[in-house]
Amino acid sequence: MSKAVKLKNNLYLDTRGAVHNRTILKTYLDNEKIRVDGKQDKLYDSGWKNITFPNKQYYDDYGSSDFNYCRARRIGNVVYLKGLVNVKSPRNNVDEVVCQLPSGFAPRKRWYVPAAGSTAEYNNGGHDTILTIRPDGTIHSHNSYCTGWLSLDCIIYFIDE
């Protein structure tokens, strides 16, 4: 772990010359890859955590086998999503909460990402779903005709960018 120099007014100078307050400095020191004697300190790894579904009347975890469960994993400041969302009834051009990320997984800004869906979307003249990952930790769907399932596989975003 690297050392920081305390400045005036509870500010700290890190090894790269950036100035941080105490909270940001802790995150920086916990998450940055810092080389010490040619080795890297281990990054924080949350392991896979379950994603919850506050709108169960419309969305739920597909959950038929281990690879389908909706989960999130944080390694450093990078979050990885996986799993299938069960879309229980047709959703057309709605802006609503699909799921809720675990605590500590929310980004600082909104991220817009495409999500693959079942063929039922295309059979009804639909198109890919756009998901918004919001700073409150919710994931919303946008601009789609969707029924069947949505995939969270391969969605990756940064928490503090």
Side-chain angles (χ1 to χ4, degrees):
M1 186 69 56
S2 86
K3 306 241 182 206
V5 177
K6 184 173 183 179
L7 303 173
K8 294 179 181 179
N9 300 326
N10 290 324
L11 295 176
Y12 296 82
L13 182 68
D14 70 25
T15 57
R16 295 184 184 171
V19 176
H20 305 284
N21 67 30
R22 180 180 290 270
T23 303
I24 293 173
L25 177 69
K26 181 174 179 350
T27 301
Y28 170 81
L29 294 176
D30 287 346
N31 294 330
E32 280 295 310
K33 294 178 182 178
I34 299 167
R35 295 194 179 273
V36 179
D37 298 326
K39 297 178 182 176
Q40 290 185 350
D41 287 348
K42 184 177 179 182
L43 289 176
Y44 169 77
D45 185 346
S46 68
W48 290 104
K49 303 289 183 189
N50 289 333
I51 293 173
T52 58
F53 294 86
N55 266 340
K56 284 196 176 272
Q57 70 269 29
Y58 301 121
Y59 304 100
D60 202 356
D61 199 325
Y62 206 86
S64 63
S65 64
D66 191 42
F67 68 89
N68 286 337
Y69 289 113
C70 294
R71 296 194 175 134
R73 183 176 192 167
R74 179 179 168 188
I75 301 176
N77 285 332
V78 181
V79 175
Y80 304 86
L81 303 180
K82 71 175 184 175
L84 292 178
V85 175
N86 180 19
V87 184
K88 295 180 178 181
S89 64
R91 311 304 302 142
N92 192 15
N93 291 325
V94 294
D95 176 4
E96 60 192 8
V97 175
V98 173
C99 54
Q100 175 74 46
L101 294 167
S103 178
F105 286 66
R108 284 191 188 170
K109 66 173 188 171
R110 287 184 183 198
W111 283 79
Y112 295 89
V113 295
S118 62
T119 56
E121 292 181 35
Y122 302 102
N123 294 340
N124 289 296
H127 46 82
D128 290 333
T129 298
I130 301 298
L131 298 178
T132 304
I133 305 167
R134 297 187 178 185
D136 65 358
T138 57
I139 298 179
H140 288 240
S141 66
H142 297 280
N143 297 335
S144 66
Y145 176 90
C146 183
T147 186
W149 55 263
L150 290 172
S151 176
L152 301 180
D153 289 338
C154 299
I155 294 177
I156 300 170
Y157 65 91
F158 298 96
I159 288 180
D160 63 354
E161 194 169 286

